[in-house]
mmCIF file with all atom_site columns, all heavy atoms in Angstrom:
data_model
loop_
_atom_site.group_PDB
_atom_site.id
_atom_site.type_symbol
_atom_site.label_atom_id
_atom_site.label_alt_id
_atom_site.label_comp_id
_atom_site.label_asym_id
_atom_site.label_entity_id
_atom_site.label_seq_id
_atom_site.pdbx_PDB_ins_code
_atom_site.Cartn_x
_atom_site.Cartn_y
_atom_site.Cartn_z
_atom_site.occupancy
_atom_site.B_iso_or_equiv
_atom_site.pdbx_formal_charge
_atom_site.auth_seq_id
_atom_site.auth_comp_id
_atom_site.auth_asym_id
_atom_site.auth_atom_id
_atom_site.pdbx_PDB_model_num
ATOM 1   N N   . VAL A 1 13 ? -4.550 7.905  0.869   1.00 92.00 ? 13 VAL A N   1
ATOM 2   C CA  . VAL A 1 13 ? -4.630 7.827  -0.598  1.00 92.00 ? 13 VAL A CA  1
ATOM 3   C C   . VAL A 1 13 ? -3.232 7.975  -1.201  1.00 92.00 ? 13 VAL A C   1
ATOM 4   O O   . VAL A 1 13 ? -2.844 7.218  -2.098  1.00 92.00 ? 13 VAL A O   1
ATOM 5   C CB  . VAL A 1 13 ? -5.607 8.887  -1.160  1.00 92.00 ? 13 VAL A CB  1
ATOM 6   C CG1 . VAL A 1 13 ? -5.497 8.981  -2.679  1.00 92.00 ? 13 VAL A CG1 1
ATOM 7   C CG2 . VAL A 1 13 ? -7.036 8.564  -0.747  1.00 92.00 ? 13 VAL A CG2 1
ATOM 8   N N   . GLY A 1 14 ? -2.463 8.928  -0.705  1.00 93.00 ? 14 GLY A N   1
ATOM 9   C CA  . GLY A 1 14 ? -1.104 9.131  -1.204  1.00 93.00 ? 14 GLY A CA  1
ATOM 10  C C   . GLY A 1 14 ? -0.231 7.905  -1.001  1.00 93.00 ? 14 GLY A C   1
ATOM 11  O O   . GLY A 1 14 ? 0.570  7.541  -1.869  1.00 93.00 ? 14 GLY A O   1
ATOM 12  N N   . ASN A 1 15 ? -0.411 7.271  0.144   1.00 89.00 ? 15 ASN A N   1
ATOM 13  C CA  . ASN A 1 15 ? 0.371  6.062  0.421   1.00 89.00 ? 15 ASN A CA  1
ATOM 14  C C   . ASN A 1 15 ? -0.017 4.934  -0.528  1.00 89.00 ? 15 ASN A C   1
ATOM 15  O O   . ASN A 1 15 ? 0.837  4.170  -0.985  1.00 89.00 ? 15 ASN A O   1
ATOM 16  C CB  . ASN A 1 15 ? 0.192  5.644  1.875   1.00 89.00 ? 15 ASN A CB  1
ATOM 17  C CG  . ASN A 1 15 ? 1.240  4.635  2.284   1.00 89.00 ? 15 ASN A CG  1
ATOM 18  O OD1 . ASN A 1 15 ? 2.408  4.804  1.999   1.00 89.00 ? 15 ASN A OD1 1
ATOM 19  N ND2 . ASN A 1 15 ? 0.813  3.593  2.954   1.00 89.00 ? 15 ASN A ND2 1
ATOM 20  N N   . ARG A 1 16 ? -1.300 4.835  -0.846  1.00 90.00 ? 16 ARG A N   1
ATOM 21  C CA  . ARG A 1 16 ? -1.753 3.808  -1.796  1.00 90.00 ? 16 ARG A CA  1
ATOM 22  C C   . ARG A 1 16 ? -1.159 4.066  -3.187  1.00 90.00 ? 16 ARG A C   1
ATOM 23  O O   . ARG A 1 16 ? -0.786 3.132  -3.888  1.00 90.00 ? 16 ARG A O   1
ATOM 24  C CB  . ARG A 1 16 ? -3.281 3.764  -1.859  1.00 90.00 ? 16 ARG A CB  1
ATOM 25  C CG  . ARG A 1 16 ? -3.950 3.385  -0.545  1.00 90.00 ? 16 ARG A CG  1
ATOM 26  C CD  . ARG A 1 16 ? -3.748 1.968  -0.167  1.00 90.00 ? 16 ARG A CD  1
ATOM 27  N NE  . ARG A 1 16 ? -4.515 1.120  -1.056  1.00 90.00 ? 16 ARG A NE  1
ATOM 28  C CZ  . ARG A 1 16 ? -4.426 -0.194 -1.114  1.00 90.00 ? 16 ARG A CZ  1
ATOM 29  N NH1 . ARG A 1 16 ? -3.596 -0.831 -0.318  1.00 90.00 ? 16 ARG A NH1 1
ATOM 30  N NH2 . ARG A 1 16 ? -5.140 -0.890 -1.957  1.00 90.00 ? 16 ARG A NH2 1
ATOM 31  N N   . VAL A 1 17 ? -1.063 5.339  -3.566  1.00 94.00 ? 17 VAL A N   1
ATOM 32  C CA  . VAL A 1 17 ? -0.422 5.691  -4.841  1.00 94.00 ? 17 VAL A CA  1
ATOM 33  C C   . VAL A 1 17 ? 1.030  5.217  -4.808  1.00 94.00 ? 17 VAL A C   1
ATOM 34  O O   . VAL A 1 17 ? 1.507  4.573  -5.745  1.00 94.00 ? 17 VAL A O   1
ATOM 35  C CB  . VAL A 1 17 ? -0.488 7.216  -5.110  1.00 94.00 ? 17 VAL A CB  1
ATOM 36  C CG1 . VAL A 1 17 ? 0.409  7.611  -6.287  1.00 94.00 ? 17 VAL A CG1 1
ATOM 37  C CG2 . VAL A 1 17 ? -1.916 7.664  -5.360  1.00 94.00 ? 17 VAL A CG2 1
ATOM 38  N N   . ARG A 1 18 ? 1.724  5.503  -3.708  1.00 92.00 ? 18 ARG A N   1
ATOM 39  C CA  . ARG A 1 18 ? 3.131  5.124  -3.570  1.00 92.00 ? 18 ARG A CA  1
ATOM 40  C C   . ARG A 1 18 ? 3.323  3.615  -3.645  1.00 92.00 ? 18 ARG A C   1
ATOM 41  O O   . ARG A 1 18 ? 4.199  3.111  -4.359  1.00 92.00 ? 18 ARG A O   1
ATOM 42  C CB  . ARG A 1 18 ? 3.676  5.656  -2.244  1.00 92.00 ? 18 ARG A CB  1
ATOM 43  C CG  . ARG A 1 18 ? 5.125  5.302  -2.001  1.00 92.00 ? 18 ARG A CG  1
ATOM 44  C CD  . ARG A 1 18 ? 5.613  5.917  -0.670  1.00 92.00 ? 18 ARG A CD  1
ATOM 45  N NE  . ARG A 1 18 ? 6.980  5.557  -0.423  1.00 92.00 ? 18 ARG A NE  1
ATOM 46  C CZ  . ARG A 1 18 ? 7.351  4.462  0.249   1.00 92.00 ? 18 ARG A CZ  1
ATOM 47  N NH1 . ARG A 1 18 ? 6.454  3.643  0.741   1.00 92.00 ? 18 ARG A NH1 1
ATOM 48  N NH2 . ARG A 1 18 ? 8.618  4.197  0.427   1.00 92.00 ? 18 ARG A NH2 1
ATOM 49  N N   . VAL A 1 19 ? 2.484  2.877  -2.914  1.00 88.00 ? 19 VAL A N   1
ATOM 50  C CA  . VAL A 1 19 ? 2.596  1.414  -2.889  1.00 88.00 ? 19 VAL A CA  1
ATOM 51  C C   . VAL A 1 19 ? 2.408  0.842  -4.291  1.00 88.00 ? 19 VAL A C   1
ATOM 52  O O   . VAL A 1 19 ? 3.202  0.022  -4.753  1.00 88.00 ? 19 VAL A O   1
ATOM 53  C CB  . VAL A 1 19 ? 1.574  0.798  -1.904  1.00 88.00 ? 19 VAL A CB  1
ATOM 54  C CG1 . VAL A 1 19 ? 1.426  -0.698 -2.119  1.00 88.00 ? 19 VAL A CG1 1
ATOM 55  C CG2 . VAL A 1 19 ? 1.968  1.102  -0.470  1.00 88.00 ? 19 VAL A CG2 1
ATOM 56  N N   . ARG A 1 20 ? 1.386  1.304  -4.991  1.00 90.00 ? 20 ARG A N   1
ATOM 57  C CA  . ARG A 1 20 ? 1.116  0.772  -6.324  1.00 90.00 ? 20 ARG A CA  1
ATOM 58  C C   . ARG A 1 20 ? 2.223  1.165  -7.312  1.00 90.00 ? 20 ARG A C   1
ATOM 59  O O   . ARG A 1 20 ? 2.680  0.350  -8.116  1.00 90.00 ? 20 ARG A O   1
ATOM 60  C CB  . ARG A 1 20 ? -0.245 1.250  -6.827  1.00 90.00 ? 20 ARG A CB  1
ATOM 61  C CG  . ARG A 1 20 ? -0.611 0.746  -8.191  1.00 90.00 ? 20 ARG A CG  1
ATOM 62  C CD  . ARG A 1 20 ? -0.705 -0.757 -8.249  1.00 90.00 ? 20 ARG A CD  1
ATOM 63  N NE  . ARG A 1 20 ? -1.023 -1.174 -9.612  1.00 90.00 ? 20 ARG A NE  1
ATOM 64  C CZ  . ARG A 1 20 ? -0.919 -2.390 -10.056 1.00 90.00 ? 20 ARG A CZ  1
ATOM 65  N NH1 . ARG A 1 20 ? -0.544 -3.368 -9.248  1.00 90.00 ? 20 ARG A NH1 1
ATOM 66  N NH2 . ARG A 1 20 ? -1.226 -2.678 -11.295 1.00 90.00 ? 20 ARG A NH2 1
ATOM 67  N N   . ARG A 1 21 ? 2.654  2.415  -7.227  1.00 91.00 ? 21 ARG A N   1
ATOM 68  C CA  . ARG A 1 21 ? 3.723  2.883  -8.114  1.00 91.00 ? 21 ARG A CA  1
ATOM 69  C C   . ARG A 1 21 ? 4.976  2.039  -7.927  1.00 91.00 ? 21 ARG A C   1
ATOM 70  O O   . ARG A 1 21 ? 5.584  1.568  -8.896  1.00 91.00 ? 21 ARG A O   1
ATOM 71  C CB  . ARG A 1 21 ? 4.023  4.369  -7.820  1.00 91.00 ? 21 ARG A CB  1
ATOM 72  C CG  . ARG A 1 21 ? 5.182  4.923  -8.619  1.00 91.00 ? 21 ARG A CG  1
ATOM 73  C CD  . ARG A 1 21 ? 5.513  6.359  -8.240  1.00 91.00 ? 21 ARG A CD  1
ATOM 74  N NE  . ARG A 1 21 ? 5.890  6.541  -6.846  1.00 91.00 ? 21 ARG A NE  1
ATOM 75  C CZ  . ARG A 1 21 ? 7.065  6.207  -6.314  1.00 91.00 ? 21 ARG A CZ  1
ATOM 76  N NH1 . ARG A 1 21 ? 7.996  5.637  -7.053  1.00 91.00 ? 21 ARG A NH1 1
ATOM 77  N NH2 . ARG A 1 21 ? 7.321  6.428  -5.041  1.00 91.00 ? 21 ARG A NH2 1
ATOM 78  N N   . LYS A 1 22 ? 5.344  1.811  -6.670  1.00 88.00 ? 22 LYS A N   1
ATOM 79  C CA  . LYS A 1 22 ? 6.549  1.030  -6.393  1.00 88.00 ? 22 LYS A CA  1
ATOM 80  C C   . LYS A 1 22 ? 6.361  -0.441 -6.772  1.00 88.00 ? 22 LYS A C   1
ATOM 81  O O   . LYS A 1 22 ? 7.310  -1.084 -7.231  1.00 88.00 ? 22 LYS A O   1
ATOM 82  C CB  . LYS A 1 22 ? 6.934  1.172  -4.923  1.00 88.00 ? 22 LYS A CB  1
ATOM 83  C CG  . LYS A 1 22 ? 7.446  2.578  -4.608  1.00 88.00 ? 22 LYS A CG  1
ATOM 84  C CD  . LYS A 1 22 ? 7.970  2.676  -3.225  1.00 88.00 ? 22 LYS A CD  1
ATOM 85  C CE  . LYS A 1 22 ? 9.464  2.547  -3.323  1.00 88.00 ? 22 LYS A CE  1
ATOM 86  N NZ  . LYS A 1 22 ? 10.154 2.736  -2.062  1.00 88.00 ? 22 LYS A NZ  1
ATOM 87  N N   . THR A 1 23 ? 5.162  -0.962 -6.606  1.00 85.00 ? 23 THR A N   1
ATOM 88  C CA  . THR A 1 23 ? 4.888  -2.348 -7.000  1.00 85.00 ? 23 THR A CA  1
ATOM 89  C C   . THR A 1 23 ? 5.126  -2.529 -8.497  1.00 85.00 ? 23 THR A C   1
ATOM 90  O O   . THR A 1 23 ? 5.631  -3.558 -8.931  1.00 85.00 ? 23 THR A O   1
ATOM 91  C CB  . THR A 1 23 ? 3.447  -2.747 -6.636  1.00 85.00 ? 23 THR A CB  1
ATOM 92  O OG1 . THR A 1 23 ? 3.286  -2.646 -5.222  1.00 85.00 ? 23 THR A OG1 1
ATOM 93  C CG2 . THR A 1 23 ? 3.117  -4.160 -7.085  1.00 85.00 ? 23 THR A CG2 1
ATOM 94  N N   . LEU A 1 24 ? 4.771  -1.515 -9.258  1.00 87.00 ? 24 LEU A N   1
ATOM 95  C CA  . LEU A 1 24 ? 4.981  -1.565 -10.711 1.00 87.00 ? 24 LEU A CA  1
ATOM 96  C C   . LEU A 1 24 ? 6.416  -1.231 -11.110 1.00 87.00 ? 24 LEU A C   1
ATOM 97  O O   . LEU A 1 24 ? 6.768  -1.297 -12.284 1.00 87.00 ? 24 LEU A O   1
ATOM 98  C CB  . LEU A 1 24 ? 4.026  -0.594 -11.410 1.00 87.00 ? 24 LEU A CB  1
ATOM 99  C CG  . LEU A 1 24 ? 2.543  -0.931 -11.326 1.00 87.00 ? 24 LEU A CG  1
ATOM 100 C CD1 . LEU A 1 24 ? 1.721  0.186  -11.953 1.00 87.00 ? 24 LEU A CD1 1
ATOM 101 C CD2 . LEU A 1 24 ? 2.240  -2.266 -11.987 1.00 87.00 ? 24 LEU A CD2 1
ATOM 102 N N   . GLY A 1 25 ? 7.244  -0.835 -10.135 1.00 86.00 ? 25 GLY A N   1
ATOM 103 C CA  . GLY A 1 25 ? 8.627  -0.473 -10.433 1.00 86.00 ? 25 GLY A CA  1
ATOM 104 C C   . GLY A 1 25 ? 8.750  0.880  -11.107 1.00 86.00 ? 25 GLY A C   1
ATOM 105 O O   . GLY A 1 25 ? 9.740  1.157  -11.784 1.00 86.00 ? 25 GLY A O   1
ATOM 106 N N   . MET A 1 26 ? 7.750  1.726  -10.926 1.00 93.00 ? 26 MET A N   1
ATOM 107 C CA  . MET A 1 26 ? 7.738  3.037  -11.553 1.00 93.00 ? 26 MET A CA  1
ATOM 108 C C   . MET A 1 26 ? 8.352  4.072  -10.596 1.00 93.00 ? 26 MET A C   1
ATOM 109 O O   . MET A 1 26 ? 8.118  4.017  -9.396  1.00 93.00 ? 26 MET A O   1
ATOM 110 C CB  . MET A 1 26 ? 6.289  3.436  -11.880 1.00 93.00 ? 26 MET A CB  1
ATOM 111 C CG  . MET A 1 26 ? 6.139  4.747  -12.610 1.00 93.00 ? 26 MET A CG  1
ATOM 112 S SD  . MET A 1 26 ? 4.407  5.139  -12.951 1.00 93.00 ? 26 MET A SD  1
ATOM 113 C CE  . MET A 1 26 ? 4.035  3.919  -14.205 1.00 93.00 ? 26 MET A CE  1
ATOM 114 N N   . THR A 1 27 ? 9.106  4.988  -11.141 1.00 94.00 ? 27 THR A N   1
ATOM 115 C CA  . THR A 1 27 ? 9.690  6.051  -10.325 1.00 94.00 ? 27 THR A CA  1
ATOM 116 C C   . THR A 1 27 ? 8.701  7.204  -10.175 1.00 94.00 ? 27 THR A C   1
ATOM 117 O O   . THR A 1 27 ? 7.742  7.321  -10.944 1.00 94.00 ? 27 THR A O   1
ATOM 118 C CB  . THR A 1 27 ? 10.980 6.598  -10.974 1.00 94.00 ? 27 THR A CB  1
ATOM 119 O OG1 . THR A 1 27 ? 10.630 7.214  -12.224 1.00 94.00 ? 27 THR A OG1 1
ATOM 120 C CG2 . THR A 1 27 ? 12.015 5.501  -11.175 1.00 94.00 ? 27 THR A CG2 1
ATOM 121 N N   . GLN A 1 28 ? 8.982  8.071  -9.211  1.00 95.00 ? 28 GLN A N   1
ATOM 122 C CA  . GLN A 1 28 ? 8.175  9.282  -9.068  1.00 95.00 ? 28 GLN A CA  1
ATOM 123 C C   . GLN A 1 28 ? 8.298  10.129 -10.330 1.00 95.00 ? 28 GLN A C   1
ATOM 124 O O   . GLN A 1 28 ? 7.314  10.702 -10.796 1.00 95.00 ? 28 GLN A O   1
ATOM 125 C CB  . GLN A 1 28 ? 8.633  10.097 -7.856  1.00 95.00 ? 28 GLN A CB  1
ATOM 126 C CG  . GLN A 1 28 ? 8.220  9.486  -6.539  1.00 95.00 ? 28 GLN A CG  1
ATOM 127 C CD  . GLN A 1 28 ? 8.688  10.291 -5.344  1.00 95.00 ? 28 GLN A CD  1
ATOM 128 O OE1 . GLN A 1 28 ? 9.697  10.995 -5.420  1.00 95.00 ? 28 GLN A OE1 1
ATOM 129 N NE2 . GLN A 1 28 ? 7.965  10.177 -4.255  1.00 95.00 ? 28 GLN A NE2 1
ATOM 130 N N   . ASN A 1 29 ? 9.499  10.169 -10.889 1.00 96.00 ? 29 ASN A N   1
ATOM 131 C CA  . ASN A 1 29 ? 9.727  10.905 -12.135 1.00 96.00 ? 29 ASN A CA  1
ATOM 132 C C   . ASN A 1 29 ? 8.887  10.349 -13.274 1.00 96.00 ? 29 ASN A C   1
ATOM 133 O O   . ASN A 1 29 ? 8.318  11.108 -14.058 1.00 96.00 ? 29 ASN A O   1
ATOM 134 C CB  . ASN A 1 29 ? 11.207 10.831 -12.518 1.00 96.00 ? 29 ASN A CB  1
ATOM 135 C CG  . ASN A 1 29 ? 11.850 12.189 -12.574 1.00 96.00 ? 29 ASN A CG  1
ATOM 136 O OD1 . ASN A 1 29 ? 11.201 13.199 -12.397 1.00 96.00 ? 29 ASN A OD1 1
ATOM 137 N ND2 . ASN A 1 29 ? 13.146 12.192 -12.817 1.00 96.00 ? 29 ASN A ND2 1
#
Side-chain angles (χ1 to χ4, degrees):
V13 169
N15 195 46
R16 298 290 289 171
V17 169
R18 179 178 179 270
V19 166
R20 180 61 182 166
R21 176 184 60 76
K22 290 187 99 175
T23 299
L24 294 175
M26 183 180 289
T27 64
Q28 286 179 333
N29 241 356

